[in-house]
Amino acid sequence: MILHELIDYPTLRIIWWVLLGVLLIGFAVMDGFDLGAATLLPFVARNDLERRVVINSVGPVWEGNQVWLILGGGAIFAAWPPLYAVSFSGFYLAMFAILFALILRPVGFKYRSKRESPTWRSRWDWALFIGGVVPTLIMGVAVGNVLQGVPFRFGSDLRIFYDGTTLFELLNPFALLAGLLSVSMIVMHGASWLALKTTGEVAARSRRYGSIAALATIALFALGGLWLWAGIDGYRFTSAVVMDGPSNPLAKTVEQGTGIWFENYAAHPWTMIAPALGFAGAALALLLLRTGREVLPILASAVSIVGIISTVGLSMFPFILPSSVDPRSSLTVWDASSSHLTLFIMLVVTVIFIPLIVAYTSWVYRVLWGKVDEEEIRDGTGHAY
């Protein structure tokens, strides 16, 4: 038997669908708290010392957290080539805006304290804020558009045509709601991190803003679910599902209909765990932040993130990128993957390297455990930002 045939093709496709979700969740959880902290910077810190406390709480770890973003993009490129081609070309302007905002982050961290000028530092503080809120908002907007369907289609030779026009068409009401949910979710997570890593007024303000964000997360998640059920068309197969065939998106027929995105929950009740975690995690984070806990709120907010992102994936399965102009062109788990051999080789590499990344990350956070001390920042010892 050839080695890669130890795992059949349909199973490998499912494994990589799960791994894609894991990598996206890993990015949201690990990089999410420093994006949230940057978004909160102008609000929880009222003077230069307090702003340096916030920056130093994430400064030593934010670069390492970016590895999850790189892994997610790499996984899409290698495991789901049509998904990479459509999303990274169709959402080009949105991706460019995210990239521009993310570029502001390293520059802001490195240059912010190079001069004593309040004006200089204030400008870099706002750059860090933009680098936190813009990627968070646009990524949420992208998910909102994916749930509605994206205007792309395949020609008979499988060439991709994107029928969208401008960046602004992505900013439709439902997508903006998804973007606001993304921001509130990440702000809740960032506030929970700051409640863990800071003291005094910064921590107190973080708990207040985190509580508001947790309430907003619950409300926006519920509103988004109702809107999706009542007013957004989902997608389903109307032809036989071929799980082990070649990746040809046109070898199927698909129909749209209101409420279809909820059919998986009726067919598989265990999937209700995902939205339950989304609501329960946010509610628990709210309670724990208000009662002054330190470690538990960020764990609860992480659970909420896991639940919310998993809800999207489980609702859409097996679709990963529906087409609003030609439903037959929609990309699914069964017709948008790389070859059997490619998926197997990537799985072997992933099994080797993901544990190493997790182990290294765990060691780093253990070494850096503890609160950011204002006195050390004031006298210049132990902190670089």
Side-chain angles (χ1 to χ4, degrees), residues 225-298:
L226 290 173
W227 196 338
L228 194 66
W229 175 71
I232 303 296
D233 283 349
Y235 295 72
R236 70 158 74 95
F237 279 93
T238 55
S239 59
V241 179
V242 180
M243 300 180 183
D244 59 353
S247 290
N248 179 5
L250 298 181
K252 65 178 182 297
T253 56
V254 174
E255 69 175 358
Q256 297 173 263
T258 303
I260 289 178
W261 284 148
F262 286 79
E263 289 182 350
N264 283 342
Y265 297 108
H268 308 284
W270 65 267
T271 57
M272 290 296 296
I273 295 173
L277 289 177
F279 285 114
L284 189 57
L286 169 63
L287 175 63
L288 294 168
L289 284 168
R290 293 180 65 87
T291 54
R293 301 297 181 89
E294 294 185 347
V295 177
L296 294 177
I298 194 167

Side-chain angles (χ1 to χ4, degrees), residues 142-197:
V143 172
N145 279 280
V146 168
L147 283 165
Q148 297 175 90
V150 177
F152 74 94
R153 56 189 170 83
F154 286 94
S156 58
D157 57 356
L158 294 184
R159 283 191 302 160
I160 299 169
F161 297 89
Y162 186 80
D163 294 339
T165 54
T166 67
L167 173 63
F168 295 101
E169 73 177 356
L170 300 177
L171 304 178
N172 55 77
F174 180 79
L176 286 173
L177 173 67
L180 291 175
L181 172 59
S182 176
V183 171
S184 65
M185 177 180 74
I186 294 304
V187 167
M188 170 184 67
H189 199 46
S192 300
W193 172 259
L194 292 176
L196 170 65
K197 294 291 289 185

Side-chain angles (χ1 to χ4, degrees), residues 97-374:
I98 292 173
L99 179 62
F100 174 78
L102 290 176
I103 288 173
L104 291 175
R105 299 177 75 202
V107 182
F109 279 115
K110 300 300 182 184
Y111 281 88
R112 192 253 178 205
S113 294
K114 295 297 184 182
R115 295 176 58 184
E116 298 289 340
S117 168
T119 301
W120 170 271
R121 293 187 172 188
S122 176
R123 287 172 179 171
W124 287 118
D125 290 340
W126 283 107
L128 289 171
F129 168 77
I130 293 171
V133 71
V134 169
T136 305
L137 176 66
I138 294 180
M139 289 177 187
V141 166
V143 172
N145 279 280
V146 168
L147 283 165
Q148 297 175 90
V150 177
F152 74 94
R153 56 189 170 83
F154 286 94
S156 58
D157 57 356
L158 294 184
R159 283 191 302 160
I160 299 169
F161 297 89
Y162 186 80
D163 294 339
T165 54
T166 67
L167 173 63
F168 295 101
E169 73 177 356
L170 300 177
L171 304 178
N172 55 77
F174 180 79
L176 286 173
L177 173 67
L180 291 175
L181 172 59
S182 176
V183 171
S184 65
M185 177 180 74
I186 294 304
V187 167
M188 170 184 67
H189 199 46
S192 300
W193 172 259
L194 292 176
L196 170 65
K197 294 291 289 185
T198 65
T199 59
E201 286 299 312
V202 174
R205 295 187 197 111
S206 298
R207 292 188 185 96
R208 288 197 293 272
Y209 282 109
S211 298
I212 295 170
L215 281 172
T217 299
I218 295 170
L220 292 170
F221 191 34
L223 180 58
L226 290 173
W227 196 338
L228 194 66
W229 175 71
I232 303 296
D233 283 349
Y235 295 72
R236 70 158 74 95
F237 279 93
T238 55
S239 59
V241 179
V242 180
M243 300 180 183
D244 59 353
S247 290
N248 179 5
L250 298 181
K252 65 178 182 297
T253 56
V254 174
E255 69 175 358
Q256 297 173 263
T258 303
I260 289 178
W261 284 148
F262 286 79
E263 289 182 350
N264 283 342
Y265 297 108
H268 308 284
W270 65 267
T271 57
M272 290 296 296
I273 295 173
L277 289 177
F279 285 114
L284 189 57
L286 169 63
L287 175 63
L288 294 168
L289 284 168
R290 293 180 65 87
T291 54
R293 301 297 181 89
E294 294 185 347
V295 177
L296 294 177
I298 194 167
L299 298 178
S301 64
V303 168
S304 181
I305 291 172
V306 171
I308 291 171
I309 295 177
S310 298
T311 296
V312 175
L314 290 170
S315 297
M316 293 179 58
F317 183 84
F319 291 86
I320 51 179
L321 189 65
S323 170
S324 59
V325 296
D326 180 23
R328 189 175 63 138
S329 294
S330 299
L331 302 178
T332 75
V333 171
W334 312 123
D335 58 28
S337 72
S338 293
S339 68
H340 191 174
L341 178 59
T342 300
L343 294 183
F344 181 79
I345 293 173
M346 288 177 57
L347 180 61
V348 172
V349 173
T350 301
V351 168
I352 294 172
F353 283 99
I354 288 293
L356 293 177
I357 294 171
V358 172
Y360 171 75
T361 302
S362 301
W363 176 78
V364 168
Y365 279 90
R366 180 180 177 183
V367 170
L368 297 173
W369 186 259
K371 293 184 178 293
V372 177
D373 190 284
E374 291 187 9

